[in-house]
Coordinates of all heavy atoms in Angstrom, one line a residue:
W181 N 8.7 9.4 -2.3 CA 9.2 10.6 -3.0 C 10.6 10.9 -2.6 O 11.0 10.8 -1.5 CB 8.4 11.9 -2.6 CG 6.9 11.8 -3.1 CD1 6.5 11.1 -4.2 CD2 5.8 12.5 -2.5 NE1 5.1 11.4 -4.3 CE2 4.7 12.2 -3.3 CE3 5.6 13.3 -1.4 CZ2 3.4 12.7 -3.1 CZ3 4.4 13.8 -1.2 CH2 3.3 13.5 -2.0
G182 N 11.5 11.2 -3.6 CA 12.8 11.5 -3.3 C 13.8 10.4 -3.1 O 15.0 10.6 -3.0
E183 N 13.3 9.2 -3.0 CA 14.2 8.0 -2.9 C 14.8 7.6 -4.2 O 14.1 7.6 -5.2 CB 13.4 6.8 -2.3 CG 13.0 6.9 -0.9 CD 12.5 5.6 -0.3 OE1 11.3 5.4 -0.5 OE2 13.3 4.8 0.2
G184 N 16.1 7.4 -4.2 CA 16.7 7.0 -5.4 C 16.3 5.6 -5.8 O 16.3 4.7 -5.0
V185 N 16.0 5.4 -7.1 CA 15.6 4.1 -7.6 C 16.5 3.7 -8.7 O 16.6 4.4 -9.8 CB 14.2 4.1 -8.1 CG1 13.7 2.7 -8.5 CG2 13.2 4.6 -7.1
A186 N 17.2 2.6 -8.6 CA 18.1 2.1 -9.6 C 17.2 1.6 -10.8 O 16.1 1.2 -10.6 CB 19.0 0.9 -9.2
S187 N 17.7 1.8 -12.0 CA 17.0 1.5 -13.2 C 16.5 0.1 -13.3 O 15.5 -0.2 -13.9 CB 17.8 1.9 -14.5 OG 19.0 1.1 -14.5
N188 N 17.3 -0.8 -12.7 CA 16.9 -2.3 -12.8 C 16.4 -2.8 -11.4 O 16.3 -4.0 -11.2 CB 18.1 -3.1 -13.2 CG 19.2 -3.1 -12.2 OD1 19.3 -2.1 -11.3 ND2 20.1 -4.1 -12.2
A189 N 16.0 -1.9 -10.5 CA 15.6 -2.4 -9.2 C 14.4 -3.3 -9.2 O 14.5 -4.4 -8.5 CB 15.2 -1.1 -8.3
I190 N 13.4 -3.0 -10.0 CA 12.2 -3.9 -10.0 C 12.6 -5.3 -10.6 O 12.2 -6.3 -10.1 CB 11.1 -3.3 -10.8 CG1 10.6 -2.0 -10.2 CG2 9.9 -4.2 -10.9 CD1 10.2 -2.1 -8.7
D191 N 13.4 -5.2 -11.6 CA 13.9 -6.5 -12.2 C 14.6 -7.4 -11.2 O 14.5 -8.6 -11.2 CB 14.8 -6.2 -13.5 CG 14.1 -5.4 -14.5 OD1 12.9 -5.6 -14.8 OD2 14.7 -4.5 -15.1
V192 N 15.4 -6.7 -10.4 CA 16.2 -7.5 -9.4 C 15.3 -8.1 -8.4 O 15.4 -9.3 -8.0 CB 17.2 -6.5 -8.7 CG1 17.8 -7.2 -7.5 CG2 18.3 -6.1 -9.7
Y193 N 14.3 -7.4 -7.9 CA 13.3 -7.9 -6.9 C 12.5 -9.1 -7.5 O 12.3 -10.1 -6.9 CB 12.4 -6.8 -6.4 CG 13.1 -5.7 -5.7 CD1 12.7 -4.4 -5.8 CD2 14.1 -6.0 -4.8 CE1 13.3 -3.4 -5.2 CE2 14.7 -5.0 -4.1 CZ 14.4 -3.7 -4.3 OH 15.0 -2.6 -3.6
V194 N 12.1 -8.9 -8.8 CA 11.4 -10.0 -9.5 C 12.2 -11.2 -9.5 O 11.8 -12.4 -9.3 CB 10.9 -9.5 -10.9 CG1 10.4 -10.7 -11.7 CG2 9.8 -8.5 -10.8
H195 N 13.5 -11.1 -9.9 CA 14.4 -12.2 -10.0 C 14.6 -12.9 -8.7 O 14.5 -14.2 -8.6 CB 15.8 -11.7 -10.5 CG 16.9 -12.7 -10.4 ND1 17.0 -13.8 -11.3 CD2 17.9 -12.9 -9.5 CE1 18.0 -14.6 -11.0 NE2 18.6 -14.0 -9.9
H196 N 14.7 -12.1 -7.6 CA 14.9 -12.7 -6.2 C 13.6 -13.5 -5.8 O 13.7 -14.6 -5.3 CB 15.2 -11.7 -5.2 CG 16.5 -11.1 -5.3 ND1 16.9 -9.9 -4.7 CD2 17.6 -11.5 -6.1 CE1 18.2 -9.7 -5.0 NE2 18.6 -10.6 -5.9
V197 N 12.4 -12.9 -6.1 CA 11.2 -13.6 -5.7 C 11.0 -14.9 -6.5 O 10.6 -16.0 -6.0 CB 10.0 -12.7 -5.9 CG1 8.7 -13.5 -5.7 CG2 10.0 -11.5 -4.9
R198 N 11.3 -14.9 -7.8 CA 11.2 -16.1 -8.6 C 12.2 -17.1 -8.1 O 11.8 -18.3 -8.1 CB 11.6 -15.7 -10.1 CG 10.5 -15.0 -10.9 CD 11.0 -14.5 -12.2 NE 10.0 -14.0 -13.0 CZ 10.2 -13.2 -14.1 NH1 11.5 -12.9 -14.4 NH2 9.2 -12.8 -14.9
R199 N 13.4 -16.7 -7.7 CA 14.4 -17.7 -7.3 C 13.9 -18.4 -6.0 O 14.2 -19.6 -5.8 CB 15.7 -17.0 -7.1 CG 16.8 -17.9 -6.6 CD 18.2 -17.2 -6.7 NE 18.1 -15.9 -6.0 CZ 18.3 -15.7 -4.7 NH1 18.4 -16.8 -3.9 NH2 18.2 -14.5 -4.2
K200 N 13.2 -17.7 -5.1 CA 12.8 -18.2 -3.8 C 11.5 -19.0 -3.9 O 11.1 -19.6 -3.0 CB 12.7 -17.0 -2.8 CG 14.0 -16.4 -2.5 CD 13.8 -15.1 -1.6 CE 15.1 -14.5 -1.4 NZ 15.0 -13.2 -0.5
T201 N 10.7 -18.8 -5.0 CA 9.4 -19.5 -5.2 C 9.4 -20.4 -6.4 O 9.8 -21.5 -6.4 CB 8.3 -18.5 -5.2 OG1 8.5 -17.5 -6.3 CG2 8.2 -17.7 -3.9
D202 N 9.0 -19.8 -7.5 CA 8.9 -20.5 -8.8 C 9.2 -19.5 -9.9 O 8.8 -18.4 -9.9 CB 7.5 -21.1 -9.0 CG 7.4 -22.0 -10.2 OD1 7.4 -21.4 -11.3 OD2 7.3 -23.2 -10.0
P203 N 10.0 -19.9 -11.0 CA 10.3 -19.0 -12.1 C 9.1 -18.4 -12.8 O 9.2 -17.3 -13.4 CB 11.1 -19.9 -13.0 CG 11.7 -21.0 -12.2 CD 10.6 -21.2 -11.1
D204 N 7.9 -19.1 -12.7 CA 6.7 -18.6 -13.4 C 5.8 -17.9 -12.5 O 4.6 -17.6 -12.9 CB 6.0 -19.8 -14.1 CG 6.9 -20.4 -15.3 OD1 7.5 -19.6 -15.9 OD2 6.8 -21.6 -15.4
L205 N 6.1 -17.7 -11.2 CA 5.2 -17.1 -10.3 C 4.9 -15.6 -10.7 O 3.8 -15.1 -10.6 CB 5.7 -17.1 -8.9 CG 4.8 -16.4 -7.8 CD1 3.5 -17.2 -7.7 CD2 5.5 -16.4 -6.5
I206 N 5.9 -14.9 -11.2 CA 5.8 -13.6 -11.7 C 6.1 -13.6 -13.2 O 7.2 -14.1 -13.6 CB 6.7 -12.6 -11.0 CG1 6.4 -12.5 -9.5 CG2 6.6 -11.2 -11.6 CD1 7.3 -11.6 -8.7
K207 N 5.1 -13.2 -14.0 CA 5.3 -13.3 -15.4 C 5.6 -12.0 -16.0 O 5.1 -10.9 -15.6 CB 4.0 -13.8 -16.1 CG 3.7 -15.3 -15.7 CD 2.6 -15.8 -16.6 CE 2.3 -17.3 -16.2 NZ 3.4 -18.2 -16.6

Side-chain angles (χ1 to χ4, degrees):
W181 292 334
E183 287 189 273
V185 184
S187 61
N188 67 336
I190 299 301
D191 302 320
V192 171
Y193 297 139
V194 168
H195 170 74
H196 288 169
V197 171
R198 284 170 171 165
R199 180 170 51 82
K200 295 174 182 180
T201 55
D202 186 285
D204 291 324
L205 180 63
I206 299 177
K207 293 191 178 294

